[in-house]
Amino acid sequence: MHTPTTGWLLRGTDGRLTAYAPRAEGIARWTEDRPGGPAWTGPELLPAPGLLPYLSVAQGPDGYA
């Protein structure tokens, strides 16, 4: 069992927020349809088996996660 944590919400270079969450089969990702908008797309699965129980998301100097 993994310990739930938070802090996986980032603002992209286009101003939209993106949320990330670990799953057994990889990383789930949700993205705002537009900056500040109420609608989101996702979840989109980014395959990464064996990732649990940890996930760290960071942004580089270029603003990409």
Side-chain angles (χ1 to χ4, degrees):
M1 176 173 253
H2 68 280
T3 303
T5 60
T6 61
W8 306 316
L9 184 65
L10 298 174
R11 186 168 307 281
T13 59
D14 60 2
R16 296 182 300 160
L17 291 172
T18 301
Y20 301 87
R23 298 286 182 254
E25 59 279 351
I27 303 166
R29 177 176 68 187
W30 295 261
T31 304
E32 280 185 309
D33 287 342
R34 63 180 174 82
W40 291 69
T41 59
E44 177 183 0
L45 180 65
L46 308 173
L51 179 70
L52 290 178
Y54 304 104
L55 171 63
S56 293
V57 180
Q59 282 180 294
D62 60 3
Y64 288 96

